[in-house]
Structure formats: C-alpha cells, structure tokens
Amino acid sequence: MTQSQKSRTVELQGYRGLAALSTVVFHIWQQYYVYDATGAHPPLDNPYLGALISLEVIDLFFVMSAYLLTLSYARAAIDGEDRTRPGRDFLFRRATRILPLYAIAVLLVWSLRNPTLPGDWRDLLEHLTFTHVLDQKRIFYTLGPTWSLSLEIAFYVTLVAVGPLAIRVCRRLRTRRARVALCASGCGALYLLPVAWIAVAHHVLGIPHTDWPVYFGPQARFGGFAAGMGLAVLLVALGERGRIGARRATALALLSATGLYALSYFSAPENTWHTYYHPLAALLWFALLYATLHVRTAARPRWHGLLRADWLTGVGLISFSLYIWHEPLMLALYDAGAIPHSRAGFPLAVLIVLASGALVATVSYWAVEYPGSLLAGLRDKKGRSREFYPEPKPEPEPAVR
C-alpha cells in the first residue's frame, strides 16, 4: 500500500469516528425528544440544531464499507489484478469481525431484559439470525441500532455472489472501457432497484414510512452499498488520472455537506425529501468521499488534518464496540438516575454517555474485537499469504445506526 493510500484509509477512520459520535448523540436525543407516531424526527426548539443532530450517517457507513470491500473485486474485474479472497475466507473474516462481540452483547442484554424463561424467545432468535429487520414489532428490540447489521450481512452475501461473476464476465471483454462500463452499469442497477422499490411502496401501494421492514430492509436501503461499490469502480477506473486539488476538493466537500444538511432540514414525514432521503444521502456521501480519496497528495486540503487527528481515529478504531454498547449503557444510566431525566439535562447526558461509552468500548475492543481479528490472521497463515491477498485497511466496520 502506498503512502497516499495509507493516508486515505486513516482519513476514512476519521470519518468513522465522526459518524460514531454522531450516532451516539442522535440516540441520546431520541431518548429525550421521543419520535412521534408518524416517524418524524424528534422535535427541538431550534430547528437548525435539530437538523444537524438528526442528520443520519447510516448511509456513510454503507458507502464506506462497500467501497473498501469492493476495491479488490473492481481491480480484478477492470485491470485483471486478481487478489480477491475466496468467498469462504471473506465470510470467515467478516464473521470473526462481527459475531463474537455481537453474540455476547445480544445474549447479555436479552437475558437482562428477559430474566424469566422462555422470555421473548422469538426476539432472541431473530437477533441471532439477523432477521429482526423483517419484524415490525421487534426490529428495535434488545439492541435497537443493530437492525443495520442485517443489511451488512445481505451485502456480504451479495458481494460474494456478484463479485466473482463480474470478474469472469469482464475477462471476456477486450477493452478496459467495456469492463468499466459493465461494472458501472451493474452498480447503477443495484442503486436504482431500491429507488424503484421505495417509489412503488410509497406512491403506488401507499405504505406509510412507519412500516419499518418495508423501508428499513435491504430492498430499500441497498442504495448506500451500491454507491460505495460505484465509488470503488470509479476510483479504480480513474487510477491516478484526474486527481483534484485542494480547492476543488474543499468546494466539493462543502457542497456535499451542505446538501446533506439541507436534506436533513427539509425532511418531514411523508414528504419527498423524507421518502428518498437515503438514496439521495448515499449520493452526497459518495461525493464527499470522492473529495477525500481522489485528491492529489501534494495538495491535500487542510480539513483532511481533522480526519487524521489521533483522538478521532481512536474513536473510529473502537466505533463498532461503541455502536453495540452505547444504547444499553445509555438506558441503564437513565434508569439508574445517573444521567438527567429532563430535556434540559440533554447536554450533560451526552457528555456522560460519550465518556462512559468510550471507556466500555475501549475495553470491549481489546477484549473481544481484537482477539477476533487474530483468528482471521491465523487462517491466513494456514492458507494463503496476506501479501498475495491484501485487504484495504482499516478493516471496514459494520454499519449500525
């Protein structure tokens, strides 16, 4: 990996840290400013601050995860640089990254909330099989933010099925332009299918946004992954060509961030911005990441320095553990009276939950997540070498919101 590539992956770690902090604040806000029956964003006296806090980052996680995991497939399909992992090895690495911590958290939280057997055994079964996203009643039970892990699993399976197929088809094409066109059109189709699903569900069938499985399932949210796959294809196709300077990168980043904020501000129940929020957000995150990843190394914008800050990349490192534990920790502190119950105490609650959450997440990372990554390394040593099968760093985090 070149020095430029290493810098870019560190910056993605910074994005992950920012998104993790945003997610925690968002869920604390939900605790104090409860959603109404129509699924609207929680009310707040200051609508501008409300739009900032309620800006959803789930699609950023989807785009980043898909980008990192699709890179090797895009290189193999477009340039014949076949360093992809066999499907079973890829899935094993993903399983060691997710399952140990997830299973421990689900079993612990579920047992505390269901002290008498059999308890809500269906909730436990659905969480352990990642099918709770399909249950209108239980989608946010036990570990509410982890509905998005169901979508991550669906993406992994899709990538393992579609990636090798794309490589085989591309090898039959004579020109690089044809290979790029095929990969790009495939990503475009995967992006448009969820848009069509949402349009039919909302405009034709009249299904309300509060029918969670319809609008939270992979059939509606896969656009974020498709955008990330498209970003990988675009950057592989461009190579070193067309890298932008600091001014253009900053302008594009500001335009993307403004668009994301406006999308959050104007989003309201059942309006067009709300209906197509996530497909539109995925495109804006795509543009923001492009402004981060395809910049000339010698003309790096100053704002990249924030993304590389040690404290922020440190949060990015423990972000998955923070996602998993922050909600049950917040609820436990709330029930114990350790954080204020009044809306006026929201800022103090944020400080307490972030501080305690970071501590718990740090312990969780080193005690559970890191040992899991060593299991994947042992498999590499028994099979193929890491040098021949490199994987972009940092390891993509599962997306949770």
Side-chain angles (χ1 to χ4, degrees), residues 339-400:
I339 57 177
H341 284 202
S342 65
R343 290 186 176 183
F346 169 70
L348 179 58
V350 169
L351 292 176
I352 294 174
V353 174
L354 282 176
S356 57
L359 177 60
V360 171
T362 300
V363 173
S364 174
Y365 174 81
W366 291 109
V368 181
E369 285 191 74
Y370 183 71
S373 67
L374 297 180
L375 291 176
L378 290 175
R379 183 180 179 90
D380 283 341
K381 291 179 181 179
K382 292 181 179 180
R384 52 208 52 80
S385 69
R386 287 188 176 184
E387 288 71 25
F388 188 71
Y389 289 91
E391 184 164 298
K393 303 294 182 181
E395 187 82 357
E397 294 285 352
V400 184

Side-chain angles (χ1 to χ4, degrees), residues 169-325:
V169 174
C170 282
R171 284 174 177 170
R172 300 176 183 177
L173 302 177
R174 295 182 178 180
T175 66
R176 190 174 190 269
R177 178 175 295 180
R179 295 192 292 271
V180 170
L182 176 65
C183 293
S185 61
C187 294
L190 289 174
Y191 175 83
L192 291 175
L193 284 174
V195 176
W197 170 276
I198 293 170
V200 171
H202 180 68
H203 299 293
V204 178
L205 302 179
I207 301 174
H209 290 116
T210 49
D211 192 329
W212 312 123
V214 171
Y215 294 102
F216 278 60
Q219 75 283 354
R221 295 294 185 92
F222 206 84
F225 295 110
M229 296 170 73
L231 181 62
V233 169
L234 174 62
L235 295 191
V236 170
L238 290 175
E240 292 300 314
R241 295 176 299 159
R243 287 189 177 273
I244 57 180
R247 289 185 178 180
R248 289 186 178 181
T250 301
L252 180 56
L254 286 174
L255 183 63
S256 303
T258 301
L260 287 162
Y261 179 83
L263 190 60
S264 179
Y265 181 83
F266 291 110
S267 179
E270 307 297 330
N271 74 0
T272 301
W273 302 114
H274 184 72
T275 300
Y276 297 99
Y277 182 100
H278 295 285
L280 293 172
L283 292 180
L284 292 167
W285 289 121
F286 173 102
L288 184 57
L289 290 178
Y290 179 87
T292 305
L293 296 167
H294 205 62
V295 179
R296 294 196 297 268
T297 303
R300 186 178 297 155
R302 291 183 179 181
W303 55 272
H304 281 200
L306 170 63
L307 297 173
R308 297 192 303 272
D310 291 340
W311 69 269
L312 192 58
T313 56
V315 175
L317 181 67
I318 63 171
S319 58
F320 183 47
S321 283
L322 186 59
Y323 302 146
I324 291 293
W325 294 116

Side-chain angles (χ1 to χ4, degrees), residues 89-109:
D89 289 347
F90 171 83
L91 293 176
F92 178 79
R93 289 183 65 86
R94 294 286 83 205
T96 58
R97 184 72 179 88
I98 294 174
L99 293 183
L101 177 58
Y102 178 74
I104 290 172
V106 168
L107 291 172
L108 176 61
V109 176

